[in-house]
PDB file of all heavy atoms in Angstrom:
ATOM      1  N   LEU A  14      81.585  96.855 115.948  1.00  0.00           N
ATOM      2  CA  LEU A  14      81.297  97.019 117.452  1.00  0.00           C
ATOM      3  C   LEU A  14      82.278  98.039 118.024  1.00  0.00           C
ATOM      4  O   LEU A  14      81.768  98.946 118.797  1.00  0.00           O
ATOM      5  CB  LEU A  14      81.332  95.644 118.130  1.00  0.00           C
ATOM      6  CG  LEU A  14      81.002  95.688 119.626  1.00  0.00           C
ATOM      7  CD1 LEU A  14      79.561  96.207 119.792  1.00  0.00           C
ATOM      8  CD2 LEU A  14      81.248  94.299 120.209  1.00  0.00           C
ATOM      9  N   PRO A  15      83.599  97.875 117.804  1.00  0.00           N
ATOM     10  CA  PRO A  15      84.402  99.060 118.418  1.00  0.00           C
ATOM     11  C   PRO A  15      84.098 100.382 117.901  1.00  0.00           C
ATOM     12  O   PRO A  15      84.078 101.370 118.632  1.00  0.00           O
ATOM     13  CB  PRO A  15      85.896  98.589 117.854  1.00  0.00           C
ATOM     14  CG  PRO A  15      85.787  97.175 117.690  1.00  0.00           C
ATOM     15  CD  PRO A  15      84.338  96.832 117.196  1.00  0.00           C
ATOM     16  N   ALA A  17      81.102 101.413 116.887  1.00  0.00           N
ATOM     17  CA  ALA A  17      79.828 101.825 117.605  1.00  0.00           C
ATOM     18  C   ALA A  17      80.114 102.256 118.988  1.00  0.00           C
ATOM     19  O   ALA A  17      79.647 103.288 119.498  1.00  0.00           O
ATOM     20  CB  ALA A  17      78.876 100.656 117.553  1.00  0.00           C
ATOM     21  N   ALA A  18      80.938 101.572 119.759  1.00  0.00           N
ATOM     22  CA  ALA A  18      81.190 101.839 121.141  1.00  0.00           C
ATOM     23  C   ALA A  18      81.984 103.176 121.201  1.00  0.00           C
ATOM     24  O   ALA A  18      81.660 104.002 122.155  1.00  0.00           O
ATOM     25  CB  ALA A  18      82.060 100.709 121.801  1.00  0.00           C
ATOM     26  N   LEU A  19      82.905 103.414 120.283  1.00  0.00           N
ATOM     27  CA  LEU A  19      83.654 104.661 120.423  1.00  0.00           C
ATOM     28  C   LEU A  19      82.703 105.899 120.092  1.00  0.00           C
ATOM     29  O   LEU A  19      82.732 106.883 120.898  1.00  0.00           O
ATOM     30  CB  LEU A  19      84.790 104.694 119.274  1.00  0.00           C
ATOM     31  CG  LEU A  19      86.074 103.965 119.747  1.00  0.00           C
ATOM     32  CD1 LEU A  19      87.025 103.772 118.612  1.00  0.00           C
ATOM     33  CD2 LEU A  19      86.760 104.761 120.929  1.00  0.00           C
ATOM     34  N   ALA A  21      79.510 105.969 120.583  1.00  0.00           N
ATOM     35  CA  ALA A  21      78.586 106.081 121.713  1.00  0.00           C
ATOM     36  C   ALA A  21      79.235 106.751 122.931  1.00  0.00           C
ATOM     37  O   ALA A  21      78.477 107.196 123.893  1.00  0.00           O
ATOM     38  CB  ALA A  21      77.968 104.671 122.010  1.00  0.00           C
ATOM     39  N   THR A  22      80.524 106.621 123.132  1.00  0.00           N
ATOM     40  CA  THR A  22      81.210 107.286 124.258  1.00  0.00           C
ATOM     41  C   THR A  22      81.824 108.576 123.870  1.00  0.00           C
ATOM     42  O   THR A  22      82.605 109.151 124.650  1.00  0.00           O
ATOM     43  CB  THR A  22      82.318 106.266 124.812  1.00  0.00           C
ATOM     44  OG1 THR A  22      83.042 105.823 123.760  1.00  0.00           O
ATOM     45  CG2 THR A  22      81.704 105.135 125.545  1.00  0.00           C
ATOM     46  N   HIS A  23      81.486 109.120 122.684  1.00  0.00           N
ATOM     47  CA  HIS A  23      82.017 110.402 122.289  1.00  0.00           C
ATOM     48  C   HIS A  23      80.799 111.308 121.734  1.00  0.00           C
ATOM     49  O   HIS A  23      81.020 111.935 120.729  1.00  0.00           O
ATOM     50  CB  HIS A  23      83.111 110.274 121.293  1.00  0.00           C
ATOM     51  CG  HIS A  23      84.416 109.725 121.895  1.00  0.00           C
ATOM     52  ND1 HIS A  23      84.583 108.387 122.096  1.00  0.00           N
ATOM     53  CD2 HIS A  23      85.465 110.364 122.269  1.00  0.00           C
ATOM     54  CE1 HIS A  23      85.736 108.229 122.607  1.00  0.00           C
ATOM     55  NE2 HIS A  23      86.361 109.380 122.786  1.00  0.00           N
ATOM     56  N   LEU A  40      74.783  90.851 122.859  1.00  0.00           N
ATOM     57  CA  LEU A  40      75.279  92.163 123.100  1.00  0.00           C
ATOM     58  C   LEU A  40      74.337  92.947 124.166  1.00  0.00           C
ATOM     59  O   LEU A  40      74.856  93.636 124.898  1.00  0.00           O
ATOM     60  CB  LEU A  40      75.531  92.919 121.806  1.00  0.00           C
ATOM     61  CG  LEU A  40      76.728  92.503 120.963  1.00  0.00           C
ATOM     62  CD1 LEU A  40      76.668  93.108 119.611  1.00  0.00           C
ATOM     63  CD2 LEU A  40      78.002  92.961 121.722  1.00  0.00           C
ATOM     64  N   GLY A  43      75.303  92.175 127.346  1.00  0.00           N
ATOM     65  CA  GLY A  43      76.639  92.627 127.718  1.00  0.00           C
ATOM     66  C   GLY A  43      77.748  91.594 127.295  1.00  0.00           C
ATOM     67  O   GLY A  43      78.811  91.705 127.801  1.00  0.00           O
ATOM     68  N   GLU A  44      77.338  90.556 126.555  1.00  0.00           N
ATOM     69  CA  GLU A  44      78.301  89.503 126.137  1.00  0.00           C
ATOM     70  C   GLU A  44      78.941  89.878 124.712  1.00  0.00           C
ATOM     71  O   GLU A  44      78.217  89.964 123.794  1.00  0.00           O
ATOM     72  CB  GLU A  44      77.628  88.129 126.028  1.00  0.00           C
ATOM     73  CG  GLU A  44      77.056  87.688 127.414  1.00  0.00           C
ATOM     74  CD  GLU A  44      76.067  86.500 127.234  1.00  0.00           C
ATOM     75  OE1 GLU A  44      76.088  85.846 126.119  1.00  0.00           O
ATOM     76  OE2 GLU A  44      75.309  86.412 128.083  1.00  0.00           O
ATOM     77  N   ILE A  45      80.237  89.846 124.763  1.00  0.00           N
ATOM     78  CA  ILE A  45      80.981  90.126 123.519  1.00  0.00           C
ATOM     79  C   ILE A  45      81.609  88.859 123.064  1.00  0.00           C
ATOM     80  O   ILE A  45      82.299  88.178 123.826  1.00  0.00           O
ATOM     81  CB  ILE A  45      82.034  91.248 123.690  1.00  0.00           C
ATOM     82  CG1 ILE A  45      81.221  92.536 124.070  1.00  0.00           C
ATOM     83  CG2 ILE A  45      82.759  91.463 122.391  1.00  0.00           C
ATOM     84  CD1 ILE A  45      82.162  93.687 124.443  1.00  0.00           C
ATOM     85  N   PHE A  47      84.113  88.162 121.081  1.00  0.00           N
ATOM     86  CA  PHE A  47      85.613  88.105 120.755  1.00  0.00           C
ATOM     87  C   PHE A  47      86.298  88.938 121.736  1.00  0.00           C
ATOM     88  O   PHE A  47      85.746  89.914 122.283  1.00  0.00           O
ATOM     89  CB  PHE A  47      85.814  88.414 119.277  1.00  0.00           C
ATOM     90  CG  PHE A  47      85.385  89.760 118.955  1.00  0.00           C
ATOM     91  CD1 PHE A  47      86.226  90.873 118.961  1.00  0.00           C
ATOM     92  CD2 PHE A  47      84.073  90.085 118.537  1.00  0.00           C
ATOM     93  CE1 PHE A  47      85.863  92.124 118.602  1.00  0.00           C
ATOM     94  CE2 PHE A  47      83.614  91.340 118.170  1.00  0.00           C
ATOM     95  CZ  PHE A  47      84.526  92.403 118.224  1.00  0.00           C
ATOM     96  N   GLU A  48      87.612  88.618 121.834  1.00  0.00           N
ATOM     97  CA  GLU A  48      88.436  89.408 122.736  1.00  0.00           C
ATOM     98  C   GLU A  48      89.090  90.641 122.015  1.00  0.00           C
ATOM     99  O   GLU A  48      89.572  90.469 120.936  1.00  0.00           O
ATOM    100  CB  GLU A  48      89.643  88.531 123.200  1.00  0.00           C
ATOM    101  CG  GLU A  48      89.297  87.366 123.934  1.00  0.00           C
ATOM    102  CD  GLU A  48      88.993  87.564 125.359  1.00  0.00           C
ATOM    103  OE1 GLU A  48      89.304  88.688 125.874  1.00  0.00           O
ATOM    104  OE2 GLU A  48      88.399  86.729 125.992  1.00  0.00           O
ATOM    105  N   GLU A  49      88.998  91.786 122.665  1.00  0.00           N
ATOM    106  CA  GLU A  49      89.764  92.895 121.993  1.00  0.00           C
ATOM    107  C   GLU A  49      90.087  93.856 123.286  1.00  0.00           C
ATOM    108  O   GLU A  49      89.161  94.236 123.980  1.00  0.00           O
ATOM    109  CB  GLU A  49      88.908  93.621 121.079  1.00  0.00           C
ATOM    110  CG  GLU A  49      89.635  94.699 120.244  1.00  0.00           C
ATOM    111  CD  GLU A  49      90.893  94.244 119.449  1.00  0.00           C
ATOM    112  OE1 GLU A  49      90.737  93.206 118.704  1.00  0.00           O
ATOM    113  OE2 GLU A  49      91.949  94.855 119.631  1.00  0.00           O
ATOM    114  N   PRO A  50      91.354  94.152 123.489  1.00  0.00           N
ATOM    115  CA  PRO A  50      91.719  94.917 124.731  1.00  0.00           C
ATOM    116  C   PRO A  50      90.810  96.204 124.855  1.00  0.00           C
ATOM    117  O   PRO A  50      90.639  97.107 123.907  1.00  0.00           O
ATOM    118  CB  PRO A  50      93.154  95.335 124.497  1.00  0.00           C
ATOM    119  CG  PRO A  50      93.697  94.167 123.624  1.00  0.00           C
ATOM    120  CD  PRO A  50      92.479  93.724 122.723  1.00  0.00           C
ATOM    121  N   GLY A  51      90.170  96.339 126.031  1.00  0.00           N
ATOM    122  CA  GLY A  51      89.489  97.608 126.273  1.00  0.00           C
ATOM    123  C   GLY A  51      88.001  97.628 125.799  1.00  0.00           C
ATOM    124  O   GLY A  51      87.174  98.508 126.177  1.00  0.00           O
ATOM    125  N   LEU A  52      87.581  96.641 124.947  1.00  0.00           N
ATOM    126  CA  LEU A  52      86.302  96.620 124.300  1.00  0.00           C
ATOM    127  C   LEU A  52      85.182  96.453 125.269  1.00  0.00           C
ATOM    128  O   LEU A  52      84.152  97.178 125.228  1.00  0.00           O
ATOM    129  CB  LEU A  52      86.246  95.730 123.060  1.00  0.00           C
ATOM    130  CG  LEU A  52      84.997  95.824 122.222  1.00  0.00           C
ATOM    131  CD1 LEU A  52      84.747  97.166 121.640  1.00  0.00           C
ATOM    132  CD2 LEU A  52      85.036  94.704 121.131  1.00  0.00           C
ATOM    133  N   ASP A  53      85.293  95.405 126.027  1.00  0.00           N
ATOM    134  CA  ASP A  53      84.337  95.084 127.046  1.00  0.00           C
ATOM    135  C   ASP A  53      83.885  96.336 127.907  1.00  0.00           C
ATOM    136  O   ASP A  53      82.747  96.669 128.026  1.00  0.00           O
ATOM    137  CB  ASP A  53      84.860  94.038 128.060  1.00  0.00           C
ATOM    138  CG  ASP A  53      84.285  92.737 127.876  1.00  0.00           C
ATOM    139  OD1 ASP A  53      83.154  92.620 127.497  1.00  0.00           O
ATOM    140  OD2 ASP A  53      85.071  91.710 127.995  1.00  0.00           O
ATOM    141  N   GLU A  54      84.927  96.950 128.310  1.00  0.00           N
ATOM    142  CA  GLU A  54      84.724  98.103 129.209  1.00  0.00           C
ATOM    143  C   GLU A  54      84.095  99.273 128.566  1.00  0.00           C
ATOM    144  O   GLU A  54      83.152  99.882 129.028  1.00  0.00           O
ATOM    145  CB  GLU A  54      86.118  98.568 129.760  1.00  0.00           C
ATOM    146  CG  GLU A  54      86.114  99.457 130.930  1.00  0.00           C
ATOM    147  CD  GLU A  54      87.392 100.342 130.981  1.00  0.00           C
ATOM    148  OE1 GLU A  54      88.428  99.689 130.604  1.00  0.00           O
ATOM    149  OE2 GLU A  54      87.289 101.556 131.224  1.00  0.00           O
ATOM    150  N   LEU A  55      84.483  99.520 127.241  1.00  0.00           N
ATOM    151  CA  LEU A  55      83.885 100.564 126.525  1.00  0.00           C
ATOM    152  C   LEU A  55      82.527 100.398 126.163  1.00  0.00           C
ATOM    153  O   LEU A  55      81.534 101.284 126.382  1.00  0.00           O
ATOM    154  CB  LEU A  55      84.713 100.750 125.163  1.00  0.00           C
ATOM    155  CG  LEU A  55      84.629 102.141 124.545  1.00  0.00           C
ATOM    156  CD1 LEU A  55      85.266 103.137 125.253  1.00  0.00           C
ATOM    157  CD2 LEU A  55      85.167 102.042 123.122  1.00  0.00           C
ATOM    158  N   VAL A  56      82.116  99.125 125.752  1.00  0.00           N
ATOM    159  CA  VAL A  56      80.719  98.776 125.498  1.00  0.00           C
ATOM    160  C   VAL A  56      79.886  98.976 126.734  1.00  0.00           C
ATOM    161  O   VAL A  56      78.807  99.505 126.705  1.00  0.00           O
ATOM    162  CB  VAL A  56      80.617  97.403 124.820  1.00  0.00           C
ATOM    163  CG1 VAL A  56      79.088  96.940 124.764  1.00  0.00           C
ATOM    164  CG2 VAL A  56      81.257  97.291 123.542  1.00  0.00           C
ATOM    165  N   HIS A  57      80.411  98.408 127.864  1.00  0.00           N
ATOM    166  CA  HIS A  57      79.765  98.465 129.147  1.00  0.00           C
ATOM    167  C   HIS A  57      79.393  99.935 129.485  1.00  0.00           C
ATOM    168  O   HIS A  57      78.318 100.272 129.840  1.00  0.00           O
ATOM    169  CB  HIS A  57      80.571  97.836 130.160  1.00  0.00           C
ATOM    170  CG  HIS A  57      79.962  97.778 131.575  1.00  0.00           C
ATOM    171  ND1 HIS A  57      78.892  96.982 131.786  1.00  0.00           N
ATOM    172  CD2 HIS A  57      80.088  98.513 132.659  1.00  0.00           C
ATOM    173  CE1 HIS A  57      78.430  97.102 133.052  1.00  0.00           C
ATOM    174  NE2 HIS A  57      79.193  98.068 133.529  1.00  0.00           N
ATOM    175  N   ARG A  58      80.444 100.822 129.269  1.00  0.00           N
ATOM    176  CA  ARG A  58      80.298 102.217 129.640  1.00  0.00           C
ATOM    177  C   ARG A  58      79.156 102.835 128.781  1.00  0.00           C
ATOM    178  O   ARG A  58      78.259 103.583 129.293  1.00  0.00           O
ATOM    179  CB  ARG A  58      81.582 102.931 129.337  1.00  0.00           C
ATOM    180  CG  ARG A  58      81.642 104.378 129.983  1.00  0.00           C
ATOM    181  CD  ARG A  58      83.068 104.753 130.448  1.00  0.00           C
ATOM    182  NE  ARG A  58      84.150 104.449 129.685  1.00  0.00           N
ATOM    183  CZ  ARG A  58      84.731 105.249 128.815  1.00  0.00           C
ATOM    184  NH1 ARG A  58      84.363 106.456 128.684  1.00  0.00           N
ATOM    185  NH2 ARG A  58      85.888 104.882 128.114  1.00  0.00           N
ATOM    186  N   ALA A  59      79.077 102.485 127.486  1.00  0.00           N
ATOM    187  CA  ALA A  59      78.042 103.056 126.576  1.00  0.00           C
ATOM    188  C   ALA A  59      76.685 102.530 126.985  1.00  0.00           C
ATOM    189  O   ALA A  59      75.684 103.271 126.923  1.00  0.00           O
ATOM    190  CB  ALA A  59      78.432 102.716 125.076  1.00  0.00           C
ATOM    191  N   VAL A  60      76.648 101.199 127.304  1.00  0.00           N
ATOM    192  CA  VAL A  60      75.382 100.617 127.661  1.00  0.00           C
ATOM    193  C   VAL A  60      74.850 101.276 128.974  1.00  0.00           C
ATOM    194  O   VAL A  60      73.691 101.682 129.049  1.00  0.00           O
ATOM    195  CB  VAL A  60      75.542  99.043 127.868  1.00  0.00           C
ATOM    196  CG1 VAL A  60      74.192  98.503 128.577  1.00  0.00           C
ATOM    197  CG2 VAL A  60      75.746  98.485 126.618  1.00  0.00           C
ATOM    198  N   VAL A  61      75.717 101.472 129.988  1.00  0.00           N
ATOM    199  CA  VAL A  61      75.308 102.009 131.222  1.00  0.00           C
ATOM    200  C   VAL A  61      74.893 103.455 131.004  1.00  0.00           C
ATOM    201  O   VAL A  61      73.882 103.961 131.620  1.00  0.00           O
ATOM    202  CB  VAL A  61      76.416 101.915 132.326  1.00  0.00           C
ATOM    203  CG1 VAL A  61      76.181 102.867 133.407  1.00  0.00           C
ATOM    204  CG2 VAL A  61      76.619 100.490 132.650  1.00  0.00           C
ATOM    205  N   GLY A  62      75.540 104.179 130.138  1.00  0.00           N
ATOM    206  CA  GLY A  62      75.280 105.571 129.867  1.00  0.00           C
ATOM    207  C   GLY A  62      74.072 105.768 128.872  1.00  0.00           C
ATOM    208  O   GLY A  62      73.785 106.931 128.509  1.00  0.00           O
ATOM    209  N   ARG A  63      73.528 104.674 128.458  1.00  0.00           N
ATOM    210  CA  ARG A  63      72.359 104.571 127.564  1.00  0.00           C
ATOM    211  C   ARG A  63      72.553 105.317 126.264  1.00  0.00           C
ATOM    212  O   ARG A  63      71.632 105.981 125.716  1.00  0.00           O
ATOM    213  CB  ARG A  63      71.133 105.150 128.248  1.00  0.00           C
ATOM    214  CG  ARG A  63      70.674 104.289 129.416  1.00  0.00           C
ATOM    215  CD  ARG A  63      69.501 104.972 130.191  1.00  0.00           C
ATOM    216  NE  ARG A  63      69.040 104.270 131.312  1.00  0.00           N
ATOM    217  CZ  ARG A  63      68.149 103.244 131.253  1.00  0.00           C
ATOM    218  NH1 ARG A  63      67.611 102.959 130.146  1.00  0.00           N
ATOM    219  NH2 ARG A  63      67.809 102.718 132.364  1.00  0.00           N
ATOM    220  N   THR A  64      73.763 105.302 125.786  1.00  0.00           N
ATOM    221  CA  THR A  64      74.117 105.932 124.520  1.00  0.00           C
ATOM    222  C   THR A  64      74.193 104.890 123.397  1.00  0.00           C
ATOM    223  O   THR A  64      74.522 105.268 122.236  1.00  0.00           O
ATOM    224  CB  THR A  64      75.364 106.784 124.530  1.00  0.00           C
ATOM    225  OG1 THR A  64      76.479 105.954 125.085  1.00  0.00           O
ATOM    226  CG2 THR A  64      75.197 108.035 125.451  1.00  0.00           C
ATOM    227  N   ILE A  65      74.126 103.651 123.766  1.00  0.00           N
ATOM    228  CA  ILE A  65      74.116 102.594 122.807  1.00  0.00           C
ATOM    229  C   ILE A  65      72.951 101.650 123.077  1.00  0.00           C
ATOM    230  O   ILE A  65      72.690 101.329 124.200  1.00  0.00           O
ATOM    231  CB  ILE A  65      75.461 101.929 122.727  1.00  0.00           C
ATOM    232  CG1 ILE A  65      75.602 101.162 121.337  1.00  0.00           C
ATOM    233  CG2 ILE A  65      75.644 100.869 123.833  1.00  0.00           C
ATOM    234  CD1 ILE A  65      76.992 100.653 121.011  1.00  0.00           C
ATOM    235  N   PHE A  67      71.208  97.820 120.978  1.00  0.00           N
ATOM    236  CA  PHE A  67      71.448  96.888 119.898  1.00  0.00           C
ATOM    237  C   PHE A  67      70.039  96.396 119.324  1.00  0.00           C
ATOM    238  O   PHE A  67      69.109  96.253 120.158  1.00  0.00           O
ATOM    239  CB  PHE A  67      72.256  95.738 120.441  1.00  0.00           C
ATOM    240  CG  PHE A  67      73.585  96.205 120.897  1.00  0.00           C
ATOM    241  CD1 PHE A  67      73.789  96.236 122.336  1.00  0.00           C
ATOM    242  CD2 PHE A  67      74.613  96.567 120.092  1.00  0.00           C
ATOM    243  CE1 PHE A  67      74.979  96.750 122.886  1.00  0.00           C
ATOM    244  CE2 PHE A  67      75.828  97.001 120.585  1.00  0.00           C
ATOM    245  CZ  PHE A  67      76.003  97.087 121.982  1.00  0.00           C
ATOM    246  N   LEU A 159      91.130  99.382 119.227  1.00  0.00           N
ATOM    247  CA  LEU A 159      90.626 100.648 119.890  1.00  0.00           C
ATOM    248  C   LEU A 159      91.759 101.732 119.805  1.00  0.00           C
ATOM    249  O   LEU A 159      91.380 102.824 119.375  1.00  0.00           O
ATOM    250  CB  LEU A 159      90.179 100.367 121.312  1.00  0.00           C
ATOM    251  CG  LEU A 159      88.807  99.635 121.463  1.00  0.00           C
ATOM    252  CD1 LEU A 159      88.622  99.329 122.888  1.00  0.00           C
ATOM    253  CD2 LEU A 159      87.732 100.440 120.749  1.00  0.00           C
TER     254      LEU A 159
END
Side-chain angles (χ1 to χ4, degrees):
L14 183 62
L19 278 168
T22 47
H23 288 80
L40 284 168
E44 294 164 22
I45 297 174
F47 59 95
E48 298 281 346
E49 189 59 52
L52 185 61
D53 253 324
E54 192 204 323
L55 199 71
V56 172
H57 184 71
R58 195 145 41 99
V60 170
V61 169
R63 293 174 184 274
T64 51
I65 198 166
F67 302 102
L159 287 173

